[in-house]
């Protein structure tokens, strides 16, 4: 009957509201990145999402939020994703201006992401002043030596090593290190481990989490 259908619809709406949570307000006064108060057992999924976002301190992707909520003890990832979607629709969450796949608490400025690790370059020789600077997509060839920053130990050297800048052929630090160079130019490039060989290292010569130093000479440059 019509009354039964109305009651069923009402019950379904209540269930959806309970899953998504009516509001993030109980946690809205806690600053991003600060130590978060323990969640009550009665916390809705949306409140768990907000709690996780604040603990992370910045806009986060759905998989990252699901993982953070799971670490807090709630492991139904499908319902967390539904709560995120419902939160955006209701205005309790917002998407980042940089990426619609990242979320933050609705109605609040999105915290600026902390600057990540970056390479440091030192120009040893400027090269051909009239030549084009290296840019992403260009093909280059370099002579180089590689040393460990911590010990100064030389672990590798190469001649006329070819790659496409930004093409995934080399570590990210090398890609960034050659951008802006001109033919014949030479640089010292210091690469943090996060942009080098990471936590795994590379063979016996580069231990895990090793900061690196390259000395590079640009011997060929073809504009992409």
């Amino acid at each position: 009957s019509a009354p039964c259908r109305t009651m069923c619809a009402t019950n379904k709406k209540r269930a959806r509201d309970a899953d998504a949570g009516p509001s993030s307000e109980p946690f809205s006064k806690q600053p991003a990145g600060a130590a978060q108060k323990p969640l009550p057992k009665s916390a809705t999924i949306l409140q768990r999402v907000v709690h996780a976002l604040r603990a992370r301190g910045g806009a986060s992707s759905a998989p990252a939020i699901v993982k953070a909520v799971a670490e807090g003890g709630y492991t139904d990832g499908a319902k967390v994703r539904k709560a995120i979607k419902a939160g955006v629709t209701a205005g309790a969450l917002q998407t980042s201006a940089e990426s619609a796949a990242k979320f933050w608490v609705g109605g609040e400025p999105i915290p600026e992401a902390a600057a990540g690790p970056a390479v440091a370059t030192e120009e040893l020789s400027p090269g051909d002043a009239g030549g084009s600077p290296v840019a992403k997509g260009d093909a280059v060839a370099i002579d180089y030596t590689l040393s460990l920053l911590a010990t100064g130990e030389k672990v590798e050297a190469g001649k006329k090593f070819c790659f496409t800048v930004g093409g995934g052929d080399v570590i990210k630090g090398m890609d960034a290190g050659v951008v802006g160079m001109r033919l014949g130019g030479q640089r010292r490039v210091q690469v943090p481990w996060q942009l080098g060989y990471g936590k795994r290292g590379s063979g016996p010569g580069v231990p895990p989490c090793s900061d690196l130093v390259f000395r590079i000479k640009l011997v060929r440059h073809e504009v992409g």
Side-chain angles (χ1 to χ4, degrees):
S1 65
C4 289
R5 286 196 295 271
T6 302
M7 184 175 292
C8 287
T10 300
N11 289 339
K12 287 180 181 178
K13 183 178 185 302
R14 286 174 179 169
R16 288 196 301 269
D17 290 345
D19 275 347
S23 170
S24 61
E25 184 60 28
F27 311 102
S28 64
K29 302 302 180 183
Q30 300 177 65
Q36 301 294 292
K37 296 178 181 178
L39 281 167
K41 291 182 179 180
S42 60
T44 65
I45 301 174
L46 180 57
Q47 289 170 339
R48 293 176 186 275
V49 168
V50 170
H51 187 268
L53 282 170
R54 293 193 183 287
R56 288 179 61 82
S60 302
S61 66
I65 295 170
V66 168
K67 181 179 179 181
V69 171
E71 289 171 352
Y74 188 86
T75 58
D76 191 332
K79 286 189 176 181
V80 173
R81 289 176 181 274
K82 287 181 180 179
I84 293 170
K85 185 176 180 180
V88 172
T89 301
L93 300 176
Q94 61 179 308
T95 54
S96 166
E98 296 180 357
S99 171
K102 289 192 174 183
F103 305 90
W104 181 244
V105 183
E108 296 185 9
I110 299 175
E112 293 185 9
V119 301
T121 61
E122 177 187 355
E123 298 291 341
L124 304 177
S125 176
D128 181 6
S132 300
V134 171
K136 185 176 180 181
D138 292 355
V140 300
I142 61 171
D143 296 343
Y144 73 94
T145 60
L146 167 61
S147 304
L148 302 180
L149 178 63
T151 64
E153 178 186 359
K154 181 179 173 180
V155 296
E156 190 176 296
K159 292 281 189 180
K160 297 181 179 179
F161 176 72
C162 302
F163 63 97
T164 299
V165 180
D169 302 331
V170 295
I171 59 174
K172 292 180 180 180
M174 176 66 83
D175 269 336
V178 300
V179 169
M181 291 188 73
R182 299 175 189 272
L183 189 63
Q186 298 182 54
R187 270 185 185 175
R188 179 184 184 274
V189 181
Q190 184 172 314
V191 179
W193 66 266
Q194 297 93 330
L195 301 180
Y197 294 104
K199 295 181 179 180
R200 294 185 177 183
S202 178
V206 181
C209 300
S210 293
D211 295 333
L212 311 172
V213 176
F214 287 92
R215 286 183 177 267
I216 298 171
K217 180 178 181 180
L218 183 65
V219 297
R220 198 180 79 209
H221 176 209
E222 296 178 6
V223 176

